[in-house]
Amino acid sequence: MDTRSPLEMHALRYLAQREYSRLELEQKLSTHARSSTSENLSQVLDKLEQNGLLSAERVVEQIIRTRRSRFGSQRIIYELKEKGIDEHLIHSVLPSLRETELDAAIKIWQKKFNRLPGNREERGKQMRFMMSRGFSMDIIQQVLSQAGEENL
């Protein structure tokens, strides 16, 4: 016989689909926890963390793996913060994100534009696009200067 609470069963169903941060799972389960107390919800989340079923490290790895090909470090860090990931954990992955940022930016720029801007308007459009993807001005300028060097 299964001794798990209905709340824990809902949590396991969610975690079977994908990784969730504690904050995300708490928000999802709060609709199911109306009849239960919030203390019960905390106990379920604590139990899941202790058993290794709920892991912030795995959430960070998943987000970086899935978002790196489309977004810059700033956007990924923002998403991690929105999901309630601890600042310490974010700072520990920051160096690896910064290492691969230029390569990711070049690939994204090539996929979208693959040609140097012909005028100021086009340059602004390309820069705004890259900024919306979470790249810093420094990285964007490096991408455009490398593209210019390759065309010479």
Side-chain angles (χ1 to χ4, degrees):
M1 175 123 187
D2 199 0
T3 60
R4 293 186 172 121
S5 70
L7 197 56
E8 191 173 351
M9 294 300 288
H10 283 294
L12 290 173
R13 275 191 219 112
Y14 286 129
L15 288 170
Q17 295 171 4
R18 73 170 177 92
E19 295 290 338
Y20 285 90
S21 69
R22 184 180 175 107
L23 179 66
E24 285 179 303
L25 193 57
E26 187 175 353
Q27 290 170 345
K28 280 214 168 268
L29 291 175
S30 66
T31 59
H32 300 291
R34 277 182 255 149
S35 58
S36 308
T37 63
S38 64
E39 184 178 317
N40 190 13
L41 178 58
S42 294
Q43 289 173 347
V44 168
L45 294 174
D46 290 341
K47 183 178 176 183
L48 291 171
E49 282 182 332
Q50 289 169 357
N51 292 336
L53 299 172
L54 183 62
S55 170
E57 291 84 8
R58 286 197 310 263
V59 171
V60 170
E61 289 171 11
Q62 178 191 26
I63 290 172
I64 290 173
R65 187 176 54 253
T66 58
R67 304 293 195 266
R68 175 77 297 178
S69 64
R70 295 178 47 219
F71 299 113
S73 298
Q74 293 173 346
R75 176 91 174 255
I76 294 171
I77 290 169
Y78 174 77
E79 187 171 340
L80 291 172
K81 287 179 182 177
E82 285 290 304
K83 291 182 182 291
I85 302 297
D86 184 44
E87 288 287 329
H88 172 64
L89 192 53
I90 292 173
H91 287 294
S92 68
V93 297
L94 199 53
S96 64
L97 275 176
R98 301 260 189 239
E99 252 178 47
T100 59
E101 185 157 33
L102 183 59
D103 292 334
I106 290 171
K107 287 177 186 171
I108 291 168
W109 180 83
Q110 286 174 338
K111 184 176 179 181
K112 176 74 175 175
F113 301 106
N114 203 22
R115 65 181 179 85
L116 284 173
N119 56 35
R120 287 179 128 184
E121 201 173 284
E122 283 181 39
R123 183 176 178 84
K125 180 180 177 181
Q126 289 183 13
M127 291 175 88
R128 284 189 301 278
F129 171 80
M130 295 299 285
M131 286 175 74
S132 73
R133 289 295 177 109
F135 293 103
S136 66
M137 273 311 274
D138 187 42
I139 294 293
I140 296 168
Q141 289 171 345
Q142 286 179 31
V143 167
L144 291 175
S145 68
Q146 280 189 10
E149 291 171 7
E150 289 174 5
N151 284 346
L152 293 178

